[in-house]
Amino acid sequence: MMAAITAARAGAAVTLIERNEKVGRKLYITGKGRCNLTNRCPVDEALQNYPRGGRFLHSAMSRFSPEDAQAFFEGLGVPLKVERGNRVFPVSDRAADVIDALFYELRRQRVNIVTGRVTELLQTEGRVSGVTLEDGRTLRADAIIVATGGASYPATGSTGDGYALAQSVGHTVVPARASLVPLVTVREDCPQMQGLSLRNVTLKVKNQKKKTVYEGFGELLFTHFGLSGPLVLSASACLQGFDKDKYSAIIDLKPALSEKQLDERILRDFGQNPNRDVQNVLGALLPRLMIPVVLRRTEIPPETKVHDVTKGQRRRLVEELKGFRLELVGTRPVAEAIVTSGGVKLSEVNSTTMASKKCAGLYFAGEVLDIDGYTGGFNLQAAWATGAAAGRSAAEAEKGEP
């Protein structure tokens, strides 16, 4: 939609081919239905939030920054607000308002919307000349932008079609993997704590060489299969794949306290309740669902009287609270991922124009490229920036400009 609007505003005659009955379906689920449009930060800071593709995005993002994205949507009549972490949302908290604004702008710019699924890119003498749809129709064009998304949330229409189209004209496609996706753990601990959300914790993920590949502070969630929540989703983007490495998640449940301070805190709590069972005293330090798990890990019987807890047991308790370790065995399926890692190889695309280096007249935008960002509005910002760049460049090509 961004590519189509930008191209139309530049004077091109534009047709948008949409395989769903309505445009913008995937936007409905962004930001938990509230649509986290972008992140209000300088371009240089924004570019640091892409595990893959940050350098490639520099040109497009410089011409369509987070500030430009805000101005664009406010110009379409969508009032915005900034929340924690510089996340930008519509004031209404309704993704539908963003979709409607884009749709009405497509109409204002007289973009022709065709419902259908593209199955083939047509070429004439090494240049794209049109597309064939699944129902046999053929549409001719001087320039084509592939903006099909990745392979996550296939129910919204992003089933990886763009990868096959790119490969059909000679592009290399980096295999798609889940990114911003929940992680699966070993052991029975997480199912026992299913539904428990932890805030203000630190998460580290280390590989088999004990190198920290991710560290962050915030919120996570225990599930029946393992871990989810903002911290975990961001961590997943830093993993190179479980076929190449092994990973462990280490949660610091009390990051504001040193081990010495935490031990003093436990001693104080114990001193005030010497005759109670330890399982009933730990409620001041731990959520209820975590207590039996932590006690089992530290080998402290739940009915142990506080005055009978040994120094060694207390030491293990401190170590567990400062380093709650879970072995990771994989991710949830790519269909459950917020975004896809992988896509059209970036070295085969012009980073300024989004033009294919393999086929004249062909452009790419959005998640079909091998770009993925962390949570917080960065993936949509990449979509707006690359869409604007592709639309601008394709319009120039359609008008016969260099």
Side-chain angles (χ1 to χ4, degrees):
M1 289 189 284
M2 176 62 79
I5 289 167
T6 305
R9 285 180 174 182
V14 181
T15 295
L16 188 157
I17 304 171
E18 171 60 61
R19 68 179 281 187
N20 295 315
E21 291 183 9
K22 294 181 179 180
V23 295
R25 185 173 176 185
K26 196 168 187 179
L27 282 173
Y28 279 113
I29 59 175
T30 60
K32 298 180 180 178
R34 298 171 59 217
C35 197
N36 182 187
L37 279 168
T38 186
N39 192 286
R40 185 178 174 178
C41 64
V43 170
D44 287 347
E45 183 179 330
L47 293 174
Q48 295 172 17
N49 285 273
Y50 298 90
R52 283 155 291 274
R55 183 178 298 178
F56 176 88
L57 283 170
H58 188 274
S59 178
M61 195 90 80
S62 296
R63 296 188 71 178
F64 198 89
S65 66
E67 185 178 350
D68 294 327
Q70 289 179 254
F72 174 85
F73 284 101
E74 287 175 336
L76 296 186
V78 183
L80 304 177
K81 60 181 178 179
V82 181
E83 295 188 1
R84 177 180 56 84
N86 293 322
R87 290 166 164 81
V88 179
F89 294 90
V91 169
S92 65
D93 285 331
R94 284 170 40 89
D97 291 347
V98 175
I99 299 166
D100 289 347
L102 289 165
F103 175 72
Y104 290 126
E105 184 62 14
L106 288 168
R107 285 291 174 87
R108 272 194 295 272
Q109 298 299 329
R110 298 183 179 179
V111 172
N112 179 33
I113 300 175
V114 172
T115 302
R117 182 178 184 179
V118 174
T119 55
E120 182 184 9
L121 296 177
L122 302 177
Q123 297 182 78
T124 303
E125 296 179 354
R127 182 181 184 86
V128 292
S129 55
V131 297
T132 300
L133 304 188
E134 196 170 38
D135 60 8
R137 286 179 292 169
T138 296
L139 300 178
R140 296 293 173 179
D142 298 306
I144 295 170
I145 302 171
V146 175
T148 54
S152 58
Y153 291 122
T156 65
S158 56
T159 54
D161 286 6
Y163 303 151
L165 294 174
Q167 287 174 318
S168 74
V169 294
H171 274 282
T172 305
V173 173
V174 178
R177 290 192 295 107
S179 185
L180 301 189
V181 65
L183 298 173
V184 180
T185 63
V186 73
R187 299 177 63 170
E188 71 281 6
D189 292 342
C190 288
Q192 192 172 342
M193 298 182 289
Q194 179 180 349
L196 173 62
S197 177
L198 298 180
R199 295 187 177 185
N200 302 320
V201 297
T202 297
L203 172 67
K204 284 184 182 179
V205 177
K206 295 188 176 185
N207 63 14
Q208 58 190 355
K209 294 182 179 178
K210 298 184 179 180
K211 178 185 176 182
T212 299
V213 297
Y214 174 83
E215 182 171 1
F217 174 83
E219 183 177 348
L220 59 79
L221 173 71
F222 293 107
T223 71
H224 67 284
F225 56 77
L227 296 168
S228 188
L231 271 180
V232 174
L233 298 181
S234 290
S236 72
C238 298
L239 309 186
Q240 295 301 310
F242 287 82
D243 55 332
K244 298 178 181 178
D245 214 338
K246 295 181 179 179
Y247 301 96
S248 300
I250 301 103
I251 305 167
D252 185 344
L253 299 164
K254 300 295 176 183
L257 301 177
S258 67
E259 289 193 1
K260 182 174 183 295
Q261 290 171 325
L262 180 57
D263 189 39
E264 291 171 350
R265 163 72 190 276
I266 293 172
L267 274 172
R268 186 166 64 250
D269 289 353
F270 282 9
Q272 294 169 352
N273 304 276
N275 298 313
R276 296 183 65 193
D277 291 352
V278 68
Q279 64 181 348
N280 296 326
V281 175
L282 288 178
L285 271 177
L286 288 170
R288 178 181 55 83
L289 287 176
M290 283 202 83
I291 293 174
V293 175
V294 168
L295 288 176
R296 183 175 67 249
R297 283 169 163 245
T298 54
E299 300 180 342
I300 303 174
E303 297 81 14
T304 304
K305 298 301 181 184
V306 165
H307 60 74
D308 289 330
V309 174
T310 67
K311 185 177 181 180
Q313 289 174 322
R314 200 176 73 242
R315 178 65 195 169
R316 289 200 298 273
L317 185 58
V318 169
E319 291 173 348
E320 197 65 41
L321 297 186
K322 294 294 290 181
F324 188 90
R325 179 182 290 268
L326 292 163
E327 301 305 318
L328 303 174
V329 294
T331 70
R332 294 294 285 175
V334 68
E336 296 180 25
I338 294 176
V339 295
T340 310
S341 168
V344 176
K345 193 173 183 179
L346 299 182
S347 61
E348 299 175 357
V349 179
N350 184 304
S351 63
T352 300
T353 64
M354 300 298 131
S356 164
K357 295 179 182 179
K358 298 283 187 178
C359 183
L362 179 64
Y363 302 81
F364 296 97
E367 200 182 335
V368 72
L369 292 161
D370 184 19
I371 296 170
D372 60 287
Y374 295 132
T375 57
F378 297 105
N379 288 290
L380 277 184
Q381 175 59 36
W384 311 136
T386 56
R392 190 184 308 113
S393 305
E396 292 172 354
E398 191 263 353
K399 290 186 292 185
E401 299 176 13

